[in-house]
Amino acid sequence: MAGTSAGIVAGLAAAAIGAVGILAYQASANVPPALNGKSRSGTAPAVAPTKAPRDRQRPTALPPGSGTGERVVYSVDADRVWLVGGNNKVGRTFKVAPGNVDPLPGSYFVTSRSSAVTGTDGLPVEHVVRFTSVDDVVVGFSAVREDKGKDKGSEPALGLAVKTGAIRESRADGDAMWEFATIGVRIVVIR
């Protein structure tokens, strides 16, 4: 009888472990790619807008076809960001200096933030807003911190030997991004 109850207990334990494994797999399969921390290389973005048309009379105007609702719109080709409120009105737009790794066009979400860290290029940065990774290179917005009383503003990371997904903003623009782009806010990347 002792062998039978040990077999029943072992069978129940195996069934419970199997059920937990199935539930864990189902949960991980339903996490949006932008929130699961995995590289997006080799996978298509959730939404892949084509190159958004530009208004030649107003080059800082929000490109049509860049979505609706509250969002950050980032144009890889124009090196420009728009902070768009829920009313679809632009609250702020500014130029940025990207690193040497660009995100794919698509729709992402802010996944993590850091108030102050050292960037992959070795510069002290603040107000870091991360939203994806490309080939294990994290991509996000940041501003170079003040260095001996002088604001370095945005500094391009192009030409570096290290791969960096840093999209640099001035400190004032970094402050605005930090206030606007909290965890879960949508980031729309366009060409």
Side-chain angles (χ1 to χ4, degrees):
M1 192 72 139
T4 304
S5 47
I8 292 172
V9 169
L12 289 173
I17 291 171
V20 168
I22 289 170
L23 291 173
Y25 172 77
Q26 288 175 337
S28 69
N30 290 314
V31 173
L35 296 177
N36 71 5
K38 293 184 179 177
S39 171
R40 297 190 59 86
S41 65
T43 62
V47 176
T50 58
K51 183 171 177 148
R54 299 291 192 270
D55 182 340
R56 293 186 189 273
Q57 301 297 320
R58 300 177 316 147
T60 61
L62 180 66
S66 62
T68 59
E70 183 181 71
R71 67 199 181 280
V72 174
V73 177
Y74 169 49
S75 171
V76 174
D77 289 351
D79 295 334
R80 178 166 290 280
V81 168
W82 293 264
L83 305 181
V84 185
N87 58 2
N88 218 36
K89 299 282 185 202
V90 175
R92 186 180 187 111
T93 183
F94 49 90
K95 293 289 280 182
V96 294
N100 51 21
V101 175
D102 287 331
L104 295 171
S107 185
Y108 304 88
F109 297 95
V110 175
T111 56
S112 71
R113 297 168 17 119
S114 296
S115 59
V117 296
T118 300
T120 54
D121 54 7
L123 295 173
V125 294
E126 65 184 4
H127 297 157
V128 180
V129 175
R130 300 174 196 92
F131 61 94
T132 191
S133 62
V134 177
D135 295 328
D136 296 324
V137 176
V138 176
V139 178
F141 302 100
S142 62
V144 175
R145 287 196 316 241
E146 191 169 68
D147 183 26
K148 296 181 184 174
K150 181 182 175 198
D151 182 356
K152 290 186 154 207
S154 60
E155 293 194 10
L158 298 175
L160 293 176
V162 64
K163 289 184 178 181
T164 178
I167 304 166
R168 292 291 161 76
E169 313 156 310
S170 71
R171 292 188 79 201
D173 294 332
D175 289 346
M177 176 70 78
W178 183 256
E179 291 298 316
F180 186 86
T182 56
I183 299 291
V185 167
R186 191 163 45 114
I187 308 286
V188 177
V189 177
I190 60 173
R191 286 275 163 221

